[in-house]
Amino acid sequence: MNIAVLLSGGVDSSVAVHLLCEQGYRPSLFYIRISSDEAGTMDCSMEEDVEICRSVSRRYGLPFEVVDLHHQYWDEVVGYMINKLRQA
C-alpha cells in the first residue's frame, strides 16, 4: 500500500508520520509550497517548516519532496477570490 503524508512542519503531521512508522508503514512525505521565494523574499517560517520536514524525513529514512504549487495557488485560488470580491 502506498501512503502519502502532507507535512506542514508542525506537530500534528509529524506525529502522524511517527504513528504510521510505528505501525510498519513507510509513507512518502510531501510539503506543498504556495509562497514565493523569488527575489530573495522567501518566507522564513516556510524555510523553517521545510527544514523540520526534512528532519522528520531523515529521522525515519523516508522520501521527502517539496511540491511547488505557488503559481497554481495564486492563479487559481487567490485569483478566483479576487475576481469574486470584485463582482460582489
Side-chain angles (χ1 to χ4, degrees):
M1 172 184 346
N2 293 328
I3 297 174
V5 174
L6 300 178
L7 285 176
S8 65
V11 173
D12 294 341
S13 59
S14 298
V15 169
V17 170
H18 173 77
L19 293 174
L20 285 166
C21 289
E22 264 191 347
Q23 296 174 31
Y25 296 105
R26 307 290 301 155
S28 296
L29 309 178
F30 299 92
Y31 178 88
I32 296 177
R33 186 176 78 81
I34 58 173
S35 63
S36 174
D37 64 352
E38 297 170 4
T41 61
M42 192 171 202
D43 181 5
C44 287
S45 66
M46 187 196 79
E47 287 179 5
E48 292 169 1
D49 291 343
V50 169
E51 186 51 41
I52 292 168
C53 294
R54 289 187 200 288
S55 176
V56 171
S57 169
R58 285 190 298 269
R59 165 81 167 87
Y60 294 98
L62 300 172
F64 172 68
E65 181 179 342
V66 176
V67 179
D68 184 356
L69 295 179
H70 169 73
H71 294 293
Q72 293 90 332
Y73 177 77
W74 286 94
D75 292 346
E76 297 176 26
V77 176
V78 176
Y80 174 82
M81 182 179 66
I82 289 170
N83 287 334
K84 285 296 184 182
L85 289 172
R86 285 182 181 156
Q87 293 172 4

